[in-house]
Amino acid sequence: MPLVFSPPPDSLPSPQAHKRVKVASQDEIRGPRRPSKIFSPFRTIGLVSPTSVPFTSLPLGKTTFQITTCVGRSLHTYDLRRGLNLVFITRPQTPESITATKAWQEKVLAAWGGSEPTSARGIWVYSRGKKVGELECPHGFTENVRQIVIFGTWIVGCCSTRIEVWKSNTFEHYTSLVAPYSGPNGMSRRLTGGICNMPTYLNKIVAGREDGTIEIWNLSSNKLIYTILPAASSYGAVTAMQPTPALSLLAVAYENGPLIIHDIRHDKEVISFRSFTQGAPISSISFRTDGLGGGEDGRRSGVMATSSHGSGDITFWDLNSGGRRRGVLPGAHNAPVSSTNGGLGGINKVEFLPGQAILMSSGLDNALKSWIFDETSLSPIPRILHLRAGHAGPVSALQFLPPESEGTEANGKWLLSGSEDRAFWGWSLRRDGQSTELSQGNIPAKAKKRGLFGHGTGNGGPESLKAPKITCIASSLNRDGGIGALPGAQAIWNKSSNSKSSNRATAADSNMTGWESIVTGHQGDKFARTWFWGRKRAGRWVFPTSDGTDVTSVTVSPCGTFALIGSAGGSIDMFNLQSGIHRQRFPARLTQLQAKQLRLQQLQIEDELEEENEPNDPKKYKKGQGKHTSAITGLVVDNLNHTVISCGLDGKLKFWDFATGLLAYQIDFAATARTILGIRYHRPSDLIAINCNDGSVAVVDLQTQRIVRGLSTPSTTITDFCFSNDGRWIVAACVDSVIRVWDLPTGHLIDASRMRSKCTAIAFSNTGEYFATAREDNVGIDLWTNRTLFTQVPTRPIEDGELAELDAPTTSGDGGESVVAATLEEPADGAAAETAAPLIEQLSEEMITLSLVPKARWQTLLHLDLIRERNKPKEAPKAPEKAPFFLPSLQSQPKLITDSGADNQPAPEQSRVLKFNRSAAHSPFTSLLHIAHETEDYADFIAHLKTLPPSAADLEVRSLDPATPCTELIGFVAALTQRLRAHADFELVQAWMAVFLRVHGEVVVRDAALAAAVGEWREEHERETRRLRGLVGYCSGVVEFLRGM
C-alpha cells in the first residue's frame, strides 16, 4: 500500500466551508446552513460533460474501455462495451471544481481548486468511485492544475506557469519546474499548450508556451534541456501538442499558425498543414493506431484527428505522401452560440482508442460520443456508435409525465424538460440509460443540404433547424400508442390545414394505434408542435394561432384527443390531435351577419350594463363575446371536458363551455390592478391556482367558481409554481431565489428555502416522491426528496424571514438524505411539540371511531385461509443431496458428549409420553376473556386482542371452548357488543365477528344462549348502521347546500 501524504489540516478546508465558486458569492458563505423541513437533496440528472475539462480513458484488458468525464465536483465513469453505460460516480465530492483528470492503473486522479490564488487546491485519487488517497500539496500551491500526465515513476501536473512533479509510488511531491522570466509580468511564459511525454524519452517532458516555444525538461535533474523555437513569431501561442506513433515526432498546433509535425530529436519540421481558422485554433490532437484509414485505399496507418473549442467539427488528416486533409465530420458537437459565449458548444477533446477504429469525443454541449470507422467501406468519416448527452443550455420548462392510468409502474418515472439549446428531453428517474432526446428529424442531413455546417455559424448553424426554445409543455397519455403508434416513416410537423384528405387517412390509421400525446409551445413561434412520446420523436402536426401571433400557452384535454393553443393576441383555438383539424375557437366564431347584430346590441345596451352589472356578477354572454384582450398566459380543461379555463395578461380568469365555445363566467382581477401570469390545475381536487404579477397566488374552486384561498409573497415575483401531488401544498419559485411552500387548508407559509441561484422551472412528481428544480446557471436538473413521505415534519407557520439555506444536490447523491437516514433522524428541538397530536383512540363517545390498527392486519385476518392456500408448497420437500465422500454430512457427525450421565437422560418434556393438562394452562387471551366476562370490563381483553398478529388472532378465536355452556364463546360475543356500544373499533369488530361466525357458526345454531348473545350484537350493529347512515346523509346535504350558495 503506497504511503499517502496529505497537507496539514489547517491548509485543506472542509467541503462545507468552500462551495462552488460559479454559484456561491462571498456574502453567501456563512458556515453551516439550516436545511429545508420538507425537501432534502437527492441528486442531479442530465450532466454528462458540461465543463471544459477533457475526458480521460482507460483500457480494461482487451475487452473494453472506461471513459471518465467531469461534471463539476464529481466524475462520471462510463463503460464503452455496455454502450456508455454509467458505472461509477465518484464520492465524496471535491471541495472545489475539478480542473483536470487522468485515468491510470484502475485509478482516476482529479485535480481541483478555486479561482482565487488563496483558494484550496489538491489532487485526489479515486478507485471505483471511492476516494483512496490524495497527493501531497506543495508549498505555495497557488495555481490550478490544468493537465495531468503520468509515465514511469512520475505524476506531472501542468499549471498556468509552472509544472509540479510527484512520485507515482508514494504520491510525494518531488519538485516544481518554473521557466526563466521572460516578458512583462511573465505572461509570455504561460503554458498554453500543456505538456506531454515522448515515448522512449526517459524522464523527459515537453511543454508548450504562450510565446510559441516548446521546452524539453528533465524531471530527474530538474533542468531545462532544450527549447524549440517557432518558425515565425506570428504563429502565436502553442494550443495543442500530441506525440505521434512514430518515434521523436511531435504534432504541434499554434494559435495563428499552421499545424506541424516536428522532429524534436533533430529540431526539424517534417510536415506542415494549413489548418488555421480565425477564432478556432486547434485544441486537441489524436492519432489512429489500428493501422487503417490512411493512404489512397484506406489500408495504411497515419490518420490524425483535430478539433477546436471554437467549432463543432472534427477534421481528419492523412499523413502519407506529404499529408493532406482526409475529410471533415461536420457538426460532431454543437458549435458555440456566439463569439462571446462558447459555453453551449465546441469540442474539448478527441481521442482515438488504442488499437481500435473508434474515436471518442466530448464537447462543451454536455455530450460524450463514440464514433466508429466501417472496415468494409473504409470511409474516412466515421459514424456515430454511442451517445450520452444532456441539455447544453439552462432548462426553461419542466413537467413530470402523467401516468397512462392510476397505479401504473411508470407513474412518476419520467420527467420532460425543454432548454435554451432547443432540445426536448425525457429523463428516466430510475435508469439513466433510458433517458433520451426526442427526435426532431434528421437535423445533420438538413444542415448539410442547406450548407449550415462549419465554423462561425453561431445561431445560423445546424441547431437553428430545431424548433425554438420550449416555453410550455402539455401532455396526456390516454391515447398514446407507445412504440407502435403510426408505424412507418412520416413527415413531421405538417400544417394541419394542408390536406384534409391526407388528414382523414392518417386519422383512420391512428384510430387503431394511437396518436401524439405531447404538445409544446415555443419562444417567438406562432406554431404549437406535437410529439409522439412512445416513439420519442416529433409528431405530425403544427397548430397555428388564428390571429398569427406567437403561442404563449398550450394544454391537452384529459381524454388526450384535443389540444388547445393560446396566443399572444388573446385567441384560443382547439385542434383535434388525431386528425390535426381545427375544431373550435374561444369565443366561438361569428358569421358576418351575427357580428353586425352583436355590434348593434352592444351599442344599445352598453349604458345599461355599466349601470346595473357589478364586476363579478354572473351574466349570460353571447356568441363571439368575451375574447381576451391580451396574451393568454394559461389554459386548463376540466376532468369531464365540460369547461375550459383561460387566463391572460388582461387580468381576466374566464370559464368557457367546451362544446359551444361560449363564455360562461369570468373573474376580473384587473379591478385590483393585477394581471395573471400563469395557471395550474390539480385534477383530483378540482382546484385552480393562478399567479399574479404582484407575487400573489389565488386558489379557485372549479365547481363553485369562487376564490377559496389567497396567498402572497413579500414584494417579489414568482417564476414558476405548482401543486403538490395531493393538492395540500402550493410550491412557488420566486425571483429572489427562494422556494416557498404554502399549506392550503390553513393558508400558512410552512417552508421557505433560499437556493444559490434563481430557479427557472419546478415540477412535483405525481407520486409525491420527487420535487424537480432547474436553475438559471446550470444545465442539469436537481431532484429533491419529499421528507414528509418517510418522517414526521413540523408544519407550523413561519415568517418569511425564517429562510432555510439549500445547497443543490450532486450527481452522486453525496450529501443527500436517504429514506433510512431520514427515518432514523432525531427530530429537531420543539418539532415533536409542534406536530405531535395526543394519542387518543376516540375523540368523543358519540362519534363512531375506527381503530388505530393497521389496515393490512385486519384485512389479512379476513383472508387468512386464502393466503395459507396460496402459500402452500407445491411439492413435498426433497431430501438434501449427499455431500462428497470427503465431506462428512451433519447427520453422520458424532454427538459431542461433554458430560456423561445428565445428557443421556431425556428431559421430561421431550419424552415420548407427554402428560399435559390442558385445563391447567390458559393463554393470556383466555385468561383475560374469563376475567373480563366476570367483571364485565372488556378494555384489557380488547387491548390484548389488538396486539395479536392475524395468524395468532385466528388461532385464539378457533381455540375458544365450544363445550356447553359456551362460556368463552358468549364472553367473546359480549366483548364485541360492548365495543359497538362504545362506538369504537368499528371495522375491527366487523372483522372479528366475521372470523367468529365462520369458525363457530354451527355452535351458534344449536346453542340458544349463544344465539341470543349474537342476536343482541346484531341489534346493536343495525342500530349503529342506521345512525351512521343518517349522519352521512346529513353531512352530504349540508355540503350540497353550501356548494349551491
Side-chain angles (χ1 to χ4, degrees), residues 850-869:
L850 303 181
S851 70
L852 300 178
V853 176
K855 181 180 179 181
R857 181 175 293 183
W858 60 266
Q859 283 188 341
T860 302
L861 180 63
L862 290 174
H863 305 93
L864 196 59
D865 293 338
L866 271 172
I867 296 174
R868 286 172 177 168
E869 184 68 24

Side-chain angles (χ1 to χ4, degrees), residues 597-607 609 624-625:
Q597 294 176 352
L598 181 61
R599 289 195 199 99
L600 292 176
Q601 293 175 1
Q602 288 176 344
L603 292 174
Q604 292 174 0
I605 64 175
E606 184 176 3
D607 296 336
L609 290 176
Q625 287 184 327

Side-chain angles (χ1 to χ4, degrees), residues 237-251:
V238 177
T239 58
M241 297 187 305
Q242 181 68 27
T244 69
L247 298 180
S248 301
L249 296 184
L250 177 69

Side-chain angles (χ1 to χ4, degrees), residues 115-417:
S115 58
E116 301 294 331
T118 57
S119 300
R121 290 174 177 83
I123 300 180
W124 286 2
V125 183
Y126 294 96
S127 177
R128 301 180 65 84
K130 297 180 180 180
K131 180 186 175 185
V132 296
E134 57 184 288
L135 274 63
E136 179 188 10
C137 290
H139 180 70
F141 198 19
T142 59
E143 297 180 359
N144 291 333
V145 175
R146 299 184 297 107
Q147 184 184 1
I148 301 175
V149 174
I150 304 177
F151 65 98
T153 59
W154 306 108
I155 299 176
V156 186
C158 175
C159 304
S160 297
T161 61
R162 56 195 296 165
I163 300 173
E164 304 291 347
V165 184
W166 291 266
K167 293 182 179 179
S168 61
N169 54 350
T170 62
F171 296 164
E172 180 185 6
H173 184 257
Y174 178 72
T175 187
S176 298
L177 306 178
V178 182
Y181 171 80
S182 174
N185 299 325
M187 292 302 294
S188 62
R189 308 306 297 170
R190 288 194 304 133
L191 294 164
T192 58
I195 58 177
C196 66
N197 164 250
M198 300 297 295
T200 72
Y201 280 64
L202 187 64
N203 300 329
K204 305 298 187 301
I205 200 78
V206 180
R209 296 283 180 178
E210 185 182 21
D211 57 1
T213 60
I214 300 174
E215 299 173 346
I216 303 177
W217 291 80
N218 188 313
L219 302 182
S220 182
S221 62
N222 305 338
K223 292 182 179 181
L224 177 61
I225 300 175
Y226 190 77
T227 300
I228 300 175
L229 301 178
S233 59
S234 61
Y235 282 4
V238 177
T239 58
M241 297 187 305
Q242 181 68 27
T244 69
L247 298 180
S248 301
L249 296 184
L250 177 69
V252 184
Y254 293 95
E255 184 178 11
N256 300 317
L259 170 64
I260 66 172
I261 305 296
H262 198 90
D263 187 347
I264 65 171
R265 177 180 288 273
H266 302 95
D267 192 5
K268 179 182 178 181
E269 182 180 303
V270 178
I271 304 176
S272 177
F273 301 95
R274 295 188 59 184
S275 61
F276 170 69
T277 303
Q278 185 65 36
I282 292 175
S283 58
S284 180
I285 306 172
S286 183
F287 292 91
R288 186 173 174 180
T289 58
D290 66 334
L292 295 174
E296 295 295 336
D297 57 355
R299 299 191 177 277
R300 299 177 62 185
S301 60
V303 174
M304 176 177 64
T306 60
S307 65
S308 170
H309 288 294
S311 173
D313 303 338
I314 301 176
T315 306
F316 298 95
W317 308 82
D318 187 357
L319 304 183
N320 298 283
S321 303
R324 63 187 177 92
R325 189 192 300 262
R326 181 75 170 172
V328 177
L329 177 61
H333 291 267
N334 294 353
V337 172
S338 64
S339 59
T340 59
N341 181 16
L344 297 180
I347 300 175
N348 54 24
K349 185 179 180 181
V350 293
E351 179 183 346
F352 282 102
L353 297 181
Q356 305 293 326
I358 296 177
L359 176 72
M360 300 298 304
S361 67
S362 65
L364 299 176
D365 59 350
N366 193 26
L368 175 67
K369 300 180 181 181
S370 64
W371 310 83
I372 186 170
F373 293 83
D374 293 322
E375 295 184 5
T376 54
S377 61
L378 294 175
S379 171
I381 307 301
R383 60 177 174 86
I384 189 71
L385 180 62
H386 302 117
L387 168 65
R388 288 298 296 263
H391 283 300
V395 175
S396 58
L398 284 175
Q399 185 189 81
F400 277 92
L401 192 71
E404 298 179 12
S405 59
E406 293 295 332
T408 55
E409 183 182 357
N411 193 5
K413 173 184 177 181
W414 291 99
L415 177 64
L416 303 177
S417 66

Side-chain angles (χ1 to χ4, degrees), residues 961-964 966 969 999-1012:
D961 188 7
T964 306
C966 303
L969 300 181
V999 176
H1000 302 288
E1002 296 180 357
V1003 183
V1004 174
V1005 173
R1006 68 171 182 263
D1007 190 279
L1010 181 58

Side-chain angles (χ1 to χ4, degrees), residues 58-61 66 103-108 125-129 132:
L58 178 70
L60 294 183
Q66 285 188 350
W104 167 67
Q105 292 185 357
E106 297 185 358
K107 297 181 179 65
V108 178
V125 183
Y126 294 96
S127 177
R128 301 180 65 84
V132 296

Side-chain angles (χ1 to χ4, degrees), residues 539-608:
R540 299 166 293 168
W541 317 120
V542 291
F543 298 140
T545 56
S546 58
D547 56 6
T549 57
D550 295 339
V551 174
T552 56
S553 182
V554 296
T555 190
V556 177
S557 62
C559 63
T561 305
F562 300 99
L564 282 81
I565 314 301
S567 74
S571 67
I572 303 174
D573 299 275
M574 183 171 69
F575 295 85
N576 188 296
L577 283 170
Q578 182 181 10
S579 62
I581 298 176
H582 185 277
R583 290 301 187 188
Q584 186 61 276
R585 183 176 295 172
F586 301 88
R589 183 180 302 177
L590 294 175
T591 63
Q592 293 183 357
L593 179 60
Q594 290 174 336
K596 291 180 180 180
Q597 294 176 352
L598 181 61
R599 289 195 199 99
L600 292 176
Q601 293 175 1
Q602 288 176 344
L603 292 174
Q604 292 174 0
I605 64 175
E606 184 176 3
D607 296 336
E608 299 177 3

